[in-house]
């Protein structure tokens, strides 16, 4: 099992954002994570990405307990995240955003300087791979929603990720771009990467996911292979019309 | 092949040209140059070696601090304490040397004072979440008061055994270029290098661009912020040391109101108080414009009372320009 969450909870003061969730996730899977606004989806993936520490519970990666204090530690374990708000710096170039916190440098010892050329080149390659017309040197400020999305996704591709967490990657982009993001998700899965896809869009989840996990008010209410459920059932689970497990 | 290469180069040149024309620093630089040309013709006393020497030297004190201030401003912060820190650091240097210690000890004490103050500001702002305006406003008051305590509010003009060394440090010149100008150029190159070529420089821009994103990405946001306030205080301290050597005396009111000139210089040079934008070169250009305005008013025989009006208008104009450009872009 690649990633195991056991009895994970997170509270912010009196708010119980995530309540006693256990999940076992395998490599080479796409897991759809669904739930109403405020169900705790973002909080759950942020704990996996090292943005928040769980209040309770444990995480195991490849059978080993891991405790993540900072996002950089999660990345060292091969865990990448695309945040819901994309978390980009408008004043920096696409390449600078892609490599933020993991800048390529050249030179020796303490005299190492940023390697602009290598970062532009590598970022350009990734955008090409994503079939995005995003240019590495352009400022994010000047970019369309789809291009910004490409920048956020490109970030997960500069290292050998094992787990990619995507928080609403298809919100606010065009239909064509949605198709490209879904295509990319399949590519990641085929490389043996575990993709956790948070989405409100039922068709997207039923299109690419192998499994769907439904959360309601911080709790996991369903966890099913996609073949054994239907959009109607998932909708019922999300709204609470159907009582889940 | 040839065409693609040609097109690529052309495109790059076009964007390069576009970048320059859209650059506030560039236009301010043009303004400085035009003002200098105009003054050379309009007055006999502007383009003299003596006046140019004075201008370049006078620019340095504001410019050096504006370098540090620019870093703070890029992160989206502000440092109002620099004028007082300059005073306190000058006073620490003066009092230490007056007490008979050598210049090295004096400078070390002065630099240490600056770093402690910067670290104090930075920790309150970065770790305890205080607004930069409030913390540094408080420090503005504290630092000047400490300078008064340290000197018992007297003028210090005797700097012990290394008196002459200190005066040479600030008042000397190399090949006709005033020492302070040389320090300024070295510090500007250093700041420019850090901003463009190092990770911490990149992080400074990232924090100002989107602090939440910087945190979510796991950048060391708090340490970088502390660092930036330490550098700002240090730049004030260094300017204080040099100014002490140049003036040959320290009073407890030197640097009073200087924070406003420094912030104006940083903003005129293209720094954006909302964060994320600014350059070392811009800080110098902004400081130069302020000094040229000041100098020219004197030479043109305009009453010195008008100085504030001109400098203030230049600040607002520079920002107005930036507003108009952003407005056009968002259309
Ligand atoms: N940093 C935070 N501080 C306080 N409350 C938070 C924070 N993040 C999320 N919450 C709360 O936790 C709950 C779950 O939020 P979230 O995980 O963003 O839900 P979702 O992504 O499913 O819409 C909400 O009630 C939200 O207000
Ligand atoms: Mg969310």
């Amino acid at each position: 099992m690649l990633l195991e969450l056991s009895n994970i909870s997170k509270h912010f003061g009196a708010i119980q954002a995530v309540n006693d969730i256990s999940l076992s996730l395998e490599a080479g899977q796409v897991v759809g994570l669904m739930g109403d606004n405020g169900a705790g989806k973002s909080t759950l993936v942020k704990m996996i990405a090292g943005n928040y520490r769980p209040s309770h519970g444990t995480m195991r990666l490849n059978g080993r307990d891991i405790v993540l204090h900072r996002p950089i530690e999660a990345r060292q374990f091969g865990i990448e995240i695309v945040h819901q708000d994309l978390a980009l710096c408008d004043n920096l170039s696409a390449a600078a955003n892609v490599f933020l916190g993991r800048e390529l440098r050249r030179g020796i010892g303490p005299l190492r300087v940023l390697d602009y050329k290598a970062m532009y080149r590598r970022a350009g390659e990734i955008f090409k791979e994503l079939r995005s017309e995003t240019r590495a040197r352009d400022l994010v400020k000047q970019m369309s929603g789809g291009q910004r999305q490409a920048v956020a996704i490109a970030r997960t591709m500069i290292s050998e990720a094992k787990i990619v967490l995507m928080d609403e990657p298809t919100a606010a982009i065009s239909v064509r771009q949605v198709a490209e993001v879904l295509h990319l998700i399949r590519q990641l899965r085929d490389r043996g990467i575990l993709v956790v896809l948070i989405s409100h869009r039922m068709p997207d989840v039923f299109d690419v996911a192998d499994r769907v996990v439904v959360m309601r008010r911080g709790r996991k209410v369903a966890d099913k292979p996609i073949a054994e459920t239907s959009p109607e059932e998932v909708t019922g689970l999300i709204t609470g019309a159907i009582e889940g497990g | 092949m040839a065409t693609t290469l040609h097109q690529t180069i052309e495109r790059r040149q076009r964007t390069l040209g576009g970048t320059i024309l859209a650059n506030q620093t560039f236009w301010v630089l043009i303004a400085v140059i035009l003002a200098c040309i105009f003054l050379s013709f309009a007055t006999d006393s502007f383009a003299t070696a003596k006046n140019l020497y004075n201008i370049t030297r006078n620019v340095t004190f504001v410019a050096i601090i504006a370098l540090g201030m620019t870093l703070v401003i890029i992160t989206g912060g502000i440092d109002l304490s620099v004028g007082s820190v300059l005073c306190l650091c000058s006073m620490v240097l003066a009092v230490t040397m007056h007490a008979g210690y050598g210049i090295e000890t004096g400078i070390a004490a002065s630099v240490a004072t600056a770093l402690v103050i910067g670290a104090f500001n930075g920790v309150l702002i970065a770790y305890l979440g205080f607004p930069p305006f409030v913390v540094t406003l408080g420090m503005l008051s504290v630092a000047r008061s400490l300078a008064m305590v340290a000197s018992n509010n007297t003028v210090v003009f005797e700097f012990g055994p290394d008196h002459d060394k200190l005066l040479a440090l600030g008042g000397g010149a190399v090949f006709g270029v005033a020492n302070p100008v040389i320090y300024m150029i070295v510090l500007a190159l250093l700041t420019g290098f850090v901003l463009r070529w190092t990770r911490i420089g990149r992080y400074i821009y990232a924090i100002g661009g989107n602090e939440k994103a910087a945190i979510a990405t796991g950048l060391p946001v708090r340490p970088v912020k502390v660092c930036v306030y330490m550098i700002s205080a240090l730049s004030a301290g260094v300017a204080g040391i040099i100014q002490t050597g140049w003036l040959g005396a320290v009073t407890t009111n030197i640097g009073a109101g200087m924070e406003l000139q420094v912030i104006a210089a940083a903003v005129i040079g293209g720094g954006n108080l909302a964060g994320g934008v600014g350059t070392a070169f811009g800080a110098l250009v902004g400081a130069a414009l302020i000094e040229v305005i000041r100098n020219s008013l004197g030479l043109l025989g305009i009453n010195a009372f008008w100085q504030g009006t001109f400098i203030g208008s230049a600040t607002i104009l520079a920002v107005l320009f930036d507003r108009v450009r952003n407005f056009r872009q968002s259309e």
Side-chain angles (χ1 to χ4, degrees):
Chain A
M1 204 53 68
L2 180 56
L3 180 69
E4 288 176 86
L5 309 183
S6 313
N7 311 101
I8 293 277
S9 298
K10 176 73 186 177
H11 53 80
F12 298 102
I15 300 172
Q16 189 77 33
V18 169
N19 197 346
D20 198 32
I21 288 200
S22 299
L23 268 180
S24 297
L25 304 172
E26 279 172 65
Q29 265 197 344
V30 179
V31 179
L33 181 55
M34 304 197 76
D36 214 343
N37 278 334
K41 309 179 295 293
S42 295
T43 306
L44 181 65
V45 292
K46 279 181 176 170
M47 286 189 280
I48 302 172
N51 290 107
Y52 295 148
R53 290 277 302 278
S55 312
H56 301 286
T58 53
M59 280 194 268
R60 290 160 79 82
L61 186 71
N62 284 321
R64 274 179 43 215
D65 277 356
I66 55 169
V67 178
L68 305 171
H69 301 270
R70 303 201 295 130
I72 199 88
E73 293 174 7
R75 281 193 233 134
Q76 281 158 359
F77 284 115
I79 302 173
E80 297 282 342
I81 184 165
V82 178
H83 285 286
Q84 183 165 12
D85 52 11
L86 300 186
L88 299 178
C89 294
D90 276 0
N91 58 334
L92 298 180
S93 69
N97 271 283
V98 169
F99 286 94
L100 196 59
R102 286 180 285 189
E103 289 75 13
L104 301 179
R105 291 184 296 170
R106 62 190 161 80
I108 32 163
L111 282 175
R112 287 203 295 171
V113 297
L114 298 182
D115 192 344
Y116 280 81
K117 226 170 150 185
M119 286 191 276
Y120 285 143
R121 181 161 36 74
R122 183 77 191 101
E125 285 165 11
I126 296 174
F127 292 136
K128 210 163 161 189
E129 208 174 316
L130 292 177
R131 284 191 255 137
S132 164
E133 70 271 35
T134 309
R135 284 179 308 209
R137 289 166 192 268
D138 286 0
L139 293 184
V140 168
K141 194 188 321 194
Q142 300 154 350
M143 290 184 178
S144 69
Q147 288 175 324
R148 299 170 69 93
Q149 201 74 49
V151 174
I153 292 174
R155 254 193 205 175
T156 67
M157 299 174 66
I158 59 170
S159 62
E160 289 295 315
K162 292 198 194 81
I163 300 175
V164 174
L165 311 164
M166 295 193 168
D167 198 347
E168 309 265 4
T170 52
I173 58 174
S174 73
V175 176
R176 187 179 67 87
Q177 285 158 342
V178 169
E180 275 171 18
V181 171
L182 296 184
H183 173 77
L184 171 79
I185 290 172
R186 283 192 205 92
Q187 277 188 336
L188 294 175
R189 178 195 57 201
D190 294 345
R191 281 191 224 161
I193 293 170
L194 164 64
V195 181
V196 176
L197 170 67
I198 297 181
S199 178
H200 272 115
R201 294 164 49 97
M202 206 60 75
D204 295 356
V205 172
F206 276 81
D207 195 354
V208 291
D210 303 297
R211 246 169 92 185
V212 58
V213 172
V214 181
M215 288 178 70
R216 190 165 70 236
R217 295 202 198 128
R219 290 185 176 277
K220 183 173 94 173
V221 292
D223 181 356
K224 298 188 160 188
I226 209 86
E228 293 172 17
T229 185
S230 64
E232 293 72 25
E233 186 188 15
V234 171
T235 307
L237 286 162
I238 290 171
T239 58
I242 304 174
E243 281 300 323
Chain B
M1 180 66 206
T3 39
T4 28
L5 188 65
H6 183 72
Q7 281 168 349
T8 313
I9 291 169
E10 196 179 51
R11 194 180 316 134
R12 181 168 303 171
Q13 278 173 344
R14 207 183 309 144
T15 51
L16 193 66
T19 318
I20 288 177
L21 289 180
N23 191 322
Q24 183 180 333
T25 312
F26 170 75
W27 290 107
V28 174
L29 181 63
I30 296 287
V32 172
I33 293 170
L34 288 180
C36 289
I37 293 173
F38 168 74
L39 289 165
S40 312
F41 288 106
T43 70
D44 295 334
S45 39
F46 181 79
T48 59
K50 187 158 175 289
N51 189 48
L52 291 177
Y53 182 90
N54 279 335
I55 287 188
T56 50
R57 188 198 51 211
N58 290 345
V59 140
T60 56
F61 307 114
V62 169
I64 288 173
I65 309 178
L67 289 170
M69 183 68 75
T70 295
L71 300 191
V72 172
I73 286 178
I74 295 173
T75 65
I78 192 82
D79 188 349
L80 298 174
S81 67
V82 288
S84 298
V85 171
L86 176 141
C87 178
L88 176 60
C89 290
S90 301
M91 204 48 99
V92 167
L93 172 74
V95 169
T96 309
M97 289 180 69
H98 183 75
Y101 292 97
I103 188 168
E104 294 85 3
T105 315
I107 290 178
S110 186
V111 164
T113 306
L115 292 176
V116 168
I117 290 178
F120 181 85
N121 285 343
V123 167
L124 253 56
I125 291 162
Y127 286 88
L128 303 178
F130 282 60
F133 193 96
V134 174
V135 172
T136 59
L137 183 65
M139 186 54 76
L140 176 150
S141 190
V142 170
R144 191 164 300 278
S145 145
L146 290 181
M148 291 174 178
V149 172
S151 65
N152 206 13
N153 207 14
T154 53
V155 181
V156 183
F157 51 87
E158 283 167 342
F159 302 115
D162 283 345
H163 184 93
D164 293 337
K165 276 193 200 166
L166 179 62
L167 266 52
L169 183 84
V174 179
F175 300 122
V177 179
N179 278 351
V181 178
I182 294 168
Y183 306 142
M184 173 189 78
I185 290 170
V186 170
L187 292 174
L189 289 175
L190 195 65
T191 310
F193 176 83
V194 167
L195 280 177
R196 176 151 174 82
W197 291 105
T198 68
R199 276 187 181 177
I200 185 168
R202 174 64 53 90
Y203 297 166
I204 288 171
Y205 283 110
I207 291 170
N210 187 345
E211 186 167 341
K212 279 202 181 124
I215 294 169
T217 312
L219 301 188
V221 171
R222 287 167 167 174
V224 169
K225 278 183 151 182
V226 173
C227 224
V228 155
Y229 285 93
M230 288 174 76
I231 293 171
S232 174
L234 183 63
S235 68
V238 168
I241 293 167
I242 302 167
Q243 200 172 26
T244 305
W246 168 56
L247 290 171
V250 184
T251 67
T252 50
N253 58 17
I254 63 167
M258 197 169 183
E259 56 282 345
L260 298 180
Q261 272 182 53
V262 168
I263 293 167
V267 170
I268 290 173
N272 184 333
L273 290 178
V277 190
T279 59
F281 183 60
L284 297 198
V285 172
L289 184 69
I290 291 181
E291 181 56 28
V292 168
I293 291 175
R294 260 196 348 194
N295 185 272
S296 63
L297 295 181
L299 296 182
L300 294 169
I302 297 172
N303 189 328
F305 296 154
W306 284 101
Q307 213 180 74
T309 305
F310 279 88
I311 293 173
S313 306
T315 312
I316 294 171
L317 264 178
V319 176
L320 178 75
F321 175 84
D322 192 52
R323 290 279 89 198
V324 170
R325 183 163 59 83
N326 279 335
F327 187 64
R328 277 227 302 265
Q329 251 173 20
S330 63
E331 266 182 321

